[in-house]
Every structure is written in C-alpha cells, then in structure tokens.
Amino acid sequence: MRKGQNPAKFVKDVAKPERITVALLNYIPFLSGFYAETLDVLKVSLQSMRKDAGLPFDLMVFDNGSCAEVRDFLVKEKEEGRIQYLILSEKNMGKGGAWNVMLAGAPGEIISYTDADVLFSPKWLSRSVEILETFPNVGMVTARPFRTQPEFYEATLKWAKDAERATLEEGQFIPWETFLEFNLSLGQTEEENKKVYAETKDWRIIYKGVTALAGASHWQFAAYKSTLQQFLPFDMDKPMGQVRQLDKRMNDASLLRLMVSDPLAMNMSNTLGYLRGELKDTGKKKQVSFGKRVLEVGFIKKILLAVYNKIFSWYYS
C-alpha cells in the first residue's frame, strides 16, 4: 500500500541533454603488460577533449568490462560531474555490442564517437560539426585527415564530381609530417611510408566555403544519431577487427564520409609515447640486447605469444 505522494510528481522541470553527446568506449582489463599505461592514456584523452571542443556536449562513457581501478576512476569522474552518462558493463561485449548500446542510447541529436586513446586539439568538435551540418547526406566526419581505403569513400567522390556547388581536387593535401605522424602511431616505420605517400593522393572537397577531405574512420567520428540508427544492430562475433562494417555500410548507402583538413585528433595507442616525443623514426639502427634478439627468433616468439594469448583468454574471454 502506497504511503503519501511521490515527490517527483511536484517537479516542474527536468534537465535536457546537450544537442551533442560525445560517446567514448573504454576497455582496460588490467594495468600491466600491454595495458600498463592505458589508464593514463584515458585520462589524457578525457582532459584533451574537454579543453576546448568548440561546442558544448554531454559525455557518455561505456566501459567494456575494465578492471576495478579503472571502474573506480570512472565512477569518481561521474560523481564529480565530468561524465554525464556512465555505463559499466560486467563483461566485454566487443565493439559491436558496445556500439549497439551507445549509438542507440546516447541522448544527443549528434553523436561524436571516440575510442579511449584519442588526443584532441582545440575546436576538434566544432570543426567536425561544421562539416556535418554544411555538406548534404553526410554519414560521418573524422577530426583528422589521413589516407583511408578508397573503396570506402567511392560514394563521396561520386557525389563531389556531380554536385554543382562542390569543387573536387586531387593532390598531396595532407602534409608529409601529418601523414607520417599518424602512421608511426600505428607501429609503422618512416621508410615503409615514403613509398605509400609518394604513390597515393588525397581528395579535397570544397562546398559552400567549407573544406573537407574524402574519407573517415570508425575510431573517431561525428554523425547524426538518426543516421547511425540505420546501421544498428551490429552483429560482430569478435571483440575487434570487424568494425570496418560501419565504414563499408555507409559507403554502400551513398553517405558522405569526410575528414577535417588539419589534424585535430591523434591516436595515442596504448602509451603516452607520442606526448614524450617517442614517435620518431630517425632511420638509425638501434642496439638490441642479446636477450631481445633471442625473443625475436621465429619459433620462440611464436611459442611465447601463443602462451600469452592462452593465458589472456583464460582470464578475460
């Protein structure tokens, strides 16, 4: 039997969410080995996104089954008002499973998705939204120019070639230093990228006075929520490696996939090496210890990595 009236009945106003929801996906199962610095990377990412985004936003964090230390940090951030929506998953649902929750549940009209290892520069959000709102039929906008697979932006080029008010140019519009910086963060070398840079080109599109490059990526993007819902749910049977489904589906749906013209987002990967200036390939051969050379022997490396993967799967699969 009810006693009294629910006080909520007398509340006249409720808080409204911001028009933009920044949705960050995080997964840090432990704080050693590969993940030793990843909590620090997450903290830097959060600080940089808030510093000067150029537009107001609410922050949603989906934690995909991280360790207790990481969950405690996120809960504290939520309690202190720096995270507006926090979802703590008991288990790792994979990126597809997390996307199904995040992209459907984010309250904003615009969703800006990001992995947890992205370093943002000032105006990263406002510049992305400017392109999103200026160009027609946009699927996604990434806040950094880099060279992506052409088969995923064929629809973008087709539109730009046919649109009356669009100017389409082919050339080396991404500076070598910007191109190399990003690829070094992926573990590539300067030498292997020289040939790629020389043999590939960029496509620059100017529309209504706003400049963008053709291409985008699933690791960081801004999109209308209504657009993203067309592609839900994602059925991915692996935690990683299948996320290009979104890139392909958007291109197949004839949606534009675009990037800002200068680097406003950077991949830090699993360390703060980029901030320490370690992403430099001098071309000089480094002295490698005897123990390291032994570990790089083919069959030894194969055996040890197999053992590592087995132990990891026992604990976290």
Side-chain angles (χ1 to χ4, degrees):
M1 177 177 169
R2 178 184 297 177
K3 294 183 179 180
Q5 294 292 320
N6 186 338
K9 290 183 177 181
F10 304 101
V11 176
K12 302 298 182 182
D13 300 301
V14 294
K16 293 184 179 180
E18 293 286 355
R19 181 174 179 240
I20 303 171
T21 303
V22 174
L24 180 146
L25 175 58
N26 182 62
Y27 173 61
I28 305 175
F30 48 87
L31 295 176
S32 61
F34 179 88
Y35 297 98
E37 289 188 61
T38 49
L39 179 54
D40 293 328
V41 169
L42 171 62
K43 292 177 180 179
V44 169
S45 180
L46 291 173
Q47 291 168 0
S48 68
M49 84 165 51
R50 299 179 183 123
K51 190 172 182 180
D52 184 10
L55 287 171
F57 64 86
D58 286 332
L59 175 60
M60 167 185 281
V61 175
F62 186 102
D63 185 79
N64 221 353
S66 292
C67 62
E69 296 93 332
V70 174
R71 293 197 306 270
D72 290 345
F73 164 73
L74 292 173
V75 169
K76 184 178 180 182
E77 289 288 288
K78 169 68 172 59
E79 291 175 345
E80 295 182 357
R82 288 186 286 272
I83 295 175
Q84 282 67 54
Y85 310 100
L86 176 60
I87 303 173
L88 300 175
S89 176
E90 180 186 6
K91 298 178 181 179
N92 184 357
M93 299 170 58
K95 202 163 196 173
W99 274 0
N100 289 337
V101 176
M102 300 170 74
L103 303 184
E109 174 191 346
I110 294 173
I111 298 175
S112 180
Y113 170 81
T114 179
D115 289 347
D117 58 357
V118 178
L119 180 69
F120 294 95
S121 296
K123 309 302 180 187
W124 68 273
L125 184 57
S126 57
R127 289 282 304 282
S128 299
V129 172
E130 178 186 37
I131 292 173
L132 185 67
E133 294 181 329
T134 301
F135 284 70
N137 205 32
V138 178
M140 60 201 297
V141 180
T142 293
R144 181 187 181 90
F146 68 107
R147 295 201 178 149
T148 64
Q149 293 176 284
E151 60 265 33
F152 292 150
Y153 58 78
E154 291 173 346
T156 303
L157 295 185
K158 184 179 184 302
W159 169 83
K161 290 173 182 176
D162 297 338
E164 292 184 3
R165 301 181 63 181
T167 301
L168 177 65
E169 303 170 295
E170 182 183 15
Q172 299 273 14
F173 299 116
I174 300 177
W176 160 247
E177 294 77 12
T178 301
F179 171 87
L180 180 64
E181 176 188 56
F182 185 79
N183 286 0
L184 289 179
S185 76
L186 304 178
Q188 301 173 15
T189 66
E190 180 172 345
E191 194 59 37
E192 66 185 300
N193 275 286
K194 287 179 179 177
K195 186 173 185 292
V196 175
Y197 185 78
E199 295 178 353
T200 56
K201 295 289 189 296
D202 311 304
W203 290 94
R204 182 168 66 187
I205 308 168
I206 303 174
Y207 182 72
K208 293 184 177 180
V210 176
T211 300
L213 296 186
S217 184
H218 51 264
W219 59 273
Q220 192 282 319
F221 60 84
Y224 289 111
K225 181 179 179 179
S226 58
T227 299
L228 293 171
Q229 288 183 323
Q230 299 175 34
F231 306 101
L232 298 177
F234 287 93
D235 184 14
M236 301 180 187
D237 57 8
K238 296 179 182 179
M240 296 181 66
Q242 298 172 301
V243 288
R244 286 183 178 174
Q245 288 183 30
L246 180 59
D247 301 332
K248 183 178 186 302
R249 289 184 191 180
M250 283 195 168
N251 183 66
D252 291 346
S254 298
L255 295 173
L256 306 189
R257 302 181 64 255
L258 301 166
M259 304 176 289
V260 300
S261 56
D262 47 318
L264 303 178
M266 175 61 184
N267 171 49
M268 291 184 285
S269 193
N270 64 323
T271 77
L272 296 178
Y274 172 72
L275 296 180
R276 294 192 292 260
E278 295 173 3
L279 288 187
K280 294 179 180 178
D281 188 344
T282 62
K284 298 179 181 178
K285 291 186 176 179
K286 299 177 181 178
Q287 293 294 327
V288 181
S289 67
F290 174 75
K292 180 65 175 178
R293 292 199 299 272
V294 170
L295 291 176
E296 290 297 326
V297 174
F299 76 95
I300 295 177
K301 184 176 183 179
K302 185 176 181 179
I303 293 172
L304 291 177
L305 287 175
V307 172
Y308 171 84
N309 288 335
K310 191 63 178 177
I311 293 172
F312 187 90
S313 67
W314 284 341
Y315 278 99
Y316 298 103
S317 65

